[in-house]
Amino acid sequence: MFDIEEELKKLPEKPGVYIMKDENDAIIYVGKAKILKNRVRQYFRNTKNQPPKVKAMVKHIKEFEYIVTDSEMEALILECNLIKLHKPHYNIMLKDDKMYPYIKITVNEDFPRIFVTRNYVRDNAKYIGPITDALAVKEMIETIHKLFPIRKCKKVFPRDIGKERPCLNYHIGQCKAPCDGLISKEEYRKYIDEAILLIEGKHEEIAKKMRLEMEEASENLEFEKAMAIRDKLKSIKSIAEKQKMANTGLGDCDVIAFARAYNEGIVQVFFIRGGKMTGREHFLLDNVDGIERGEVITDFVKQFYSGTAFVPKEIIVQDDIVSEEKEIIEGFLSDIKGSKVTITAPQKGEKKKLVDLASKNAIIVFEQTGERLKREEKRTVGAVSQIQKALGIDKEIVRIEAYDISNTQGFDSVGSMVVFEKGKAKRSDYRKFKIKTVIGANDFASMEEVLTRRFKRGLSSEDNGSFSKMPDLIMMDGGKIQVNAGKSILEKFGLDIPICGMIKDDRHRTRGLIYNDEEIYMPLSSEGFLLVTRIQDEVHRFAIEYHRKLREKNALHSVLDDIKGVGEKRRKALMKHFGSVENISKAEVSDLLEVEGMNIKVAESVYAFFRGIKV
């Protein structure tokens, strides 16, 4: 048994990460510490002055682990990675996982390319972004390729020069064919430099140069050339109009402000690149109730920039981050960027005005989404609370696992497991099981097999995935038979987890729950009852979907894969050509020979198979 007081004495005076666990061995909080001994002990000492959320968490801590690191920087990186991996209940969580497009210019190549990417890699290429408007960046790249003869191919130079003839883009004037040595690196680089100026919003420099070229072409009576340049100037003007935004006078920076309601928060971020605002975005945070604003901003900065592709040279925040973490976070971000990064909380001036503007936007977003958040809270966390109250369970319910069995007259039996956390479906944790040990329609034995495999895997020391998280409540699609099967397996593994059945009426509609051999009824219009209905429908849908795929796969296998010479490719080709097994069975040899990849020997084999002829 884990003795917290004894383990506190063993804590080292070194930096590292600590991991708090509850009675089910689930990770409920991850934190970092400059000195593990001092930080972890704070949770169990002087509890009167702790915020309500910390007090609630400490009540659930049954044991803790820690990982010693060589530096506080390593601890910070490890903390970010563990939070993303385990998504602990009491950590402030960045709910969004947005990947924004960047414009990438491969200036590290002899003949650079310009294209859109969502992957930021330290490869000495030039990245411009992030750009929140994906459509706008796509239009920008298309215009760039119309204005400048820059290659689109992925050939490697100088290795591939002269290996192939120039492609269509060369013949229509949209590429100068560096693949055939028809343009020098110096001349090609001029086009790249002009394209970069255009992307960065320095339109006038290019337009001035093009106007001079247009006038010169007109004087030389090269009217077609002059008209082509005129059309390019129109395109540049169009881009300039779309990019027109107030110049902030700043370089590359992000402006961050925060607003909250209930247990959720919204962080508004303005992206400023080259002094111009290139976009804005808001991000949802969970578990922010009762947490100081500076601490919320601190956790957002750590989580967001540890996963984003670009870190600006300055991060301007509405509330300063936690003072004891500021230096280490700035160092962490500087390492990611490769140059110095500063975090500032301005009190006056232009930066303060930008922060205030971001703050107003965050509040507006909340005003727009506040009612939605309240409704979502009622139908998820509120609904779980109603179920918990109806069942008379004292322990807080966070994770619900539901199970169902599906088969056709005892054949192709499958089991399904769906997961709901805080009242929301967590599809990444869904699992399906093909019944291996049960023959025939035996729901009791099939459910025992499914649960045995699930908890045996979850309790294995080798498993650190979704199975390692124990449910707070188990729901079975069915009545006493299914519930009793679940109880027998929980007893076998020594687990004390509430388990109930979801029962239906004569019309196959959700009627209520059966718990401890009693039927539990909830008002049909209550959020709790509606959540039970959604869970039952979802676990049934997931089981039926898997069962249908298995049936289709087996049906195809039994008919086509038993024919000599018919493998996966020919099977797909046959189905594509004829549309059904019935049509294949009626086909003549000449018809079969029309199928892609078919030869006379296999065609005769298919023909003979469906007519019972031995070959």
Side-chain angles (χ1 to χ4, degrees):
M1 186 174 177
F2 192 90
D3 189 326
I4 289 180
E5 288 300 322
E6 285 298 317
E7 295 301 323
L8 287 173
K9 296 175 184 176
K10 300 175 184 177
L11 286 164
E13 295 183 4
K14 293 181 178 180
V17 171
Y18 54 92
I19 302 165
M20 303 299 193
K21 295 185 176 183
D22 65 10
E23 60 186 8
N24 293 321
D25 205 36
I27 296 173
I28 59 174
Y29 188 77
V30 173
K32 73 160 187 66
K34 188 174 183 179
I35 300 176
L36 281 166
K37 186 172 186 176
N38 296 346
R39 184 71 187 95
V40 177
R41 288 176 61 148
Q42 287 177 0
Y43 287 100
F44 305 95
R45 305 284 187 269
N46 301 320
T47 55
K48 290 183 180 180
N49 299 324
Q50 290 175 343
K53 187 174 179 180
V54 175
K55 286 183 180 179
M57 180 188 76
V58 171
K59 288 179 182 178
H60 291 288
I61 298 174
K62 297 304 177 185
E63 63 177 274
F64 59 80
E65 296 177 2
Y66 56 87
I67 302 171
V68 175
T69 58
D70 290 332
S71 66
E72 194 178 358
M73 178 77 73
E74 284 186 16
L76 175 64
I77 295 169
L78 181 57
E79 177 198 31
C80 291
N81 291 337
L82 290 176
I83 289 173
K84 287 181 180 179
L85 176 64
H86 297 291
K87 296 179 173 57
H89 177 59
Y90 287 99
N91 279 96
I92 294 173
M93 290 302 304
L94 175 59
K95 296 168 73 173
D96 308 69
D97 189 18
K98 299 170 182 169
M99 295 292 289
Y100 296 107
Y102 288 77
I103 294 176
K104 180 175 180 178
I105 304 105
T106 58
V107 292
N108 50 324
E109 296 178 342
D110 286 346
F111 294 94
R113 294 174 295 139
I114 299 179
F115 56 92
V116 179
T117 182
R118 291 180 184 268
N119 297 318
Y120 186 98
V121 184
R122 293 189 187 182
D123 54 2
N124 296 321
K126 182 178 180 66
Y127 292 82
I128 298 174
I131 303 168
T132 55
D133 189 339
L135 180 60
V137 73
K138 183 181 178 182
E139 290 176 352
M140 166 71 81
I141 293 300
E142 288 176 354
T143 305
I144 289 291
H145 282 293
K146 288 177 183 177
L147 289 173
F148 306 105
I150 296 168
R151 70 185 180 102
K152 296 180 182 179
C153 66
K154 297 181 181 180
K155 292 178 181 176
V156 179
F157 300 135
R159 186 194 70 188
D160 296 335
I161 291 178
K163 285 189 176 181
E164 296 178 12
R165 290 180 296 174
C167 66
L168 180 63
N169 287 324
Y170 166 73
H171 296 290
I172 63 175
Q174 288 192 8
C175 182
K176 290 289 186 180
C179 59
D180 209 33
L182 300 181
I183 185 173
S184 67
K185 285 191 286 186
E186 292 73 24
E187 187 181 354
Y188 186 92
R189 185 61 67 131
K190 288 179 184 178
Y191 293 124
I192 292 293
D193 292 340
E194 288 179 353
I196 291 172
L197 288 174
L198 185 60
I199 295 167
E200 291 180 340
K202 299 170 184 176
H203 318 101
E204 194 53 43
E205 293 181 38
I206 307 168
K208 184 178 179 181
K209 179 184 175 184
M210 284 189 171
R211 279 193 288 268
L212 290 173
E213 290 178 358
M214 183 174 66
E215 291 170 6
E216 184 180 341
S218 295
E219 289 173 3
N220 295 334
L221 304 180
E222 297 175 304
F223 299 117
E224 287 188 11
K225 182 179 179 181
M227 288 173 65
I229 296 171
R230 182 200 63 189
D231 292 341
K232 288 184 177 182
L233 280 167
K234 285 183 181 178
S235 296
I236 290 171
K237 185 179 179 181
S238 175
I239 290 176
E241 288 296 323
K242 290 179 181 179
Q243 286 186 332
K244 194 179 289 180
M245 287 188 181
N247 195 316
T248 64
L250 302 172
D252 290 348
C253 65
D254 288 349
V255 180
I256 298 173
F258 168 66
R260 68 173 148 199
Y262 316 108
N263 198 32
E264 294 196 346
I266 281 183
V267 171
Q268 181 78 52
V269 182
F270 288 169
F271 301 110
I272 296 172
R273 301 293 179 263
K276 289 184 169 66
M277 191 184 299
T278 62
R280 66 179 183 177
E281 190 57 88
H282 68 267
F283 301 86
L284 294 177
L285 296 177
D286 207 358
N287 296 331
V288 298
D289 191 33
I291 306 297
E292 294 291 333
R293 295 179 61 86
E295 188 177 341
V296 174
I297 295 292
T298 300
D299 281 6
F300 172 78
V301 167
K302 288 192 291 187
Q303 290 186 48
F304 179 64
Y305 290 105
S306 66
T308 191
F310 179 83
V311 179
K313 68 177 182 180
E314 184 178 16
I315 299 170
I316 302 169
V317 294
Q318 181 182 15
D319 296 272
D320 209 354
I321 63 176
V322 178
S323 56
E324 57 264 31
E325 292 201 50
K326 187 170 184 177
E327 184 179 346
I328 192 68
I329 292 174
E330 286 182 334
F332 169 57
L333 298 178
S334 297
D335 277 358
I336 294 175
K337 182 172 179 60
S339 59
K340 186 173 177 57
V341 174
T342 57
I343 302 173
T344 55
Q347 302 301 312
K348 58 183 180 179
E350 288 301 315
K351 293 180 181 179
K352 180 65 166 64
K353 289 179 182 177
L354 278 170
V355 164
D356 291 342
L357 182 61
S359 176
K360 287 177 183 177
N361 274 269
I363 293 169
I364 289 170
V365 171
F366 243 123
E367 288 175 349
Q368 293 172 341
T369 61
E371 285 303 313
R372 179 186 63 78
L373 290 172
K374 284 174 71 176
R375 289 195 302 271
E376 184 71 7
E377 184 88 2
K378 283 182 181 178
R379 73 188 296 272
T380 54
V381 177
V384 173
S385 179
Q386 288 180 8
I387 294 171
Q388 181 178 334
K389 186 176 180 181
L391 297 177
I393 297 172
D394 294 329
K395 182 188 171 186
E396 181 185 13
I397 296 174
V398 176
R399 182 183 174 95
I400 297 174
E401 290 183 4
Y403 296 86
D404 188 20
I405 300 296
S406 179
N407 60 64
T408 301
Q409 297 179 343
F411 293 99
D412 291 334
S413 290
V414 300
S416 67
M417 163 185 148
V418 302
V419 178
F420 279 65
E421 287 192 354
K422 297 181 181 179
K424 296 180 183 178
K426 190 178 183 185
R427 290 178 175 81
S428 61
D429 282 7
Y430 284 17
R431 294 294 181 268
K432 50 196 177 186
F433 305 82
K434 184 176 180 181
I435 304 302
K436 300 176 180 178
T437 62
V438 181
I439 299 174
N442 189 333
D443 283 359
F444 184 93
S446 296
M447 189 61 76
E448 280 193 326
E449 180 189 326
V450 167
L451 293 176
T452 298
R453 287 162 60 183
R454 184 264 179 266
F455 289 110
K456 184 177 181 180
R457 175 77 178 272
L459 295 170
S460 168
S461 59
E462 297 176 2
D463 187 273
N464 59 359
S466 62
F467 277 157
S468 64
K469 298 177 183 177
M470 292 293 130
D472 302 303
L473 176 66
I474 295 173
M475 290 185 172
M476 320 294 286
D477 185 37
K480 290 184 180 181
I481 292 176
Q482 287 79 7
V483 172
N484 288 335
K487 283 182 177 179
S488 67
I489 298 305
L490 292 177
E491 289 174 5
K492 176 182 174 182
F493 287 100
L495 295 170
D496 182 18
I497 301 172
I499 182 168
C500 61
M502 298 177 286
I503 50 178
K504 295 184 177 181
D505 60 19
D506 295 336
R507 296 184 181 181
H508 212 63
R509 297 177 303 186
T510 304
R511 187 176 79 202
L513 297 172
I514 184 165
Y515 181 62
N516 289 337
D517 295 328
E518 292 183 11
E519 286 201 20
I520 308 295
Y521 295 99
M522 289 179 283
L524 299 184
S525 61
S526 68
E527 294 293 351
F529 179 82
L530 294 174
L531 177 58
V532 171
T533 302
R534 289 198 299 275
I535 292 173
Q536 187 169 32
D537 289 345
E538 180 68 353
V539 71
H540 186 63
R541 177 201 65 78
F542 193 55
I544 291 294
E545 186 180 87
Y546 178 44
H547 183 245
R548 185 181 296 118
K549 287 180 180 178
L550 205 59
R551 274 204 327 266
E552 290 172 354
K553 181 181 177 182
N554 287 345
L556 279 176
H557 172 81
S558 62
V559 176
L560 298 180
D561 287 355
D562 290 339
I563 303 173
K564 188 176 180 181
V566 176
E568 185 180 355
K569 287 185 178 180
R570 284 200 176 111
R571 184 189 71 207
K572 288 180 179 178
L574 282 163
M575 289 299 294
K576 183 179 179 181
H577 187 85
F578 290 103
S580 70
V581 174
E582 184 180 359
N583 290 340
I584 298 170
S585 68
K586 297 175 181 177
E588 298 294 328
V589 173
S590 58
D591 299 323
L592 292 165
L593 284 171
E594 294 177 7
V595 176
E596 183 182 354
M598 188 64 68
N599 58 45
I600 185 65
K601 187 176 180 181
V602 178
E604 289 177 345
S605 180
V606 173
Y607 178 85
F609 177 85
F610 285 107
R611 287 159 182 79
I613 302 170
K614 291 186 178 181
V615 292

